[in-house]
Amino acid sequence: PGIISMLKSLRSLKLSSVGKQQVEHALTKRAWGAQNLAEESQVSEATAKNFRAGKSVDRKNFVIFCKVLDLDWEEAAGIRQI
């Protein structure tokens, strides 16, 4: 991989398959959709939808979303195993 892709991977994160399950469970428990998550996180709805879909989002936003949902962001990203 080139230096650009390596730098991008440091700036952004995406949900692991386990992380996606955790997010869906947390959203269902709260009866929230992407709009609610965006509002509570003060981040755009488009970014919240990308996060929920498992697409890469800025690391700062990823951590904020996980904090709002009471999830461990490293676990949700698959950096740390459960």
Side-chain angles (χ1 to χ4, degrees):
I3 189 78
I4 301 294
S5 62
M6 285 172 47
L7 289 174
K8 250 187 167 177
S9 69
L10 294 174
R11 279 200 334 250
S12 61
L13 292 170
K14 64 182 180 178
L15 291 168
S16 66
S17 56
V18 170
K20 279 179 84 167
Q21 292 173 352
Q22 292 173 332
V23 166
E24 289 307 314
H25 177 75
L27 290 171
T28 300
K29 189 169 76 173
R30 291 166 174 78
W32 282 6
Q35 184 177 357
N36 304 100
L37 179 58
E39 288 171 2
E40 290 294 320
S41 306
Q42 297 183 331
V43 176
S44 76
E45 187 174 350
T47 302
K49 285 180 179 178
N50 286 340
F51 170 76
R52 187 176 182 182
K55 296 180 181 175
S56 291
V57 298
D58 185 86
R59 176 183 290 265
K60 178 186 70 166
N61 293 331
F62 188 96
V63 173
I64 290 169
F65 289 139
C66 289
K67 194 171 285 195
V68 165
L69 294 173
D70 295 321
L71 299 174
D72 180 309
W73 70 269
E74 290 176 311
E75 204 174 280
I79 296 170
R80 179 174 47 219
Q81 300 301 313
I82 300 171

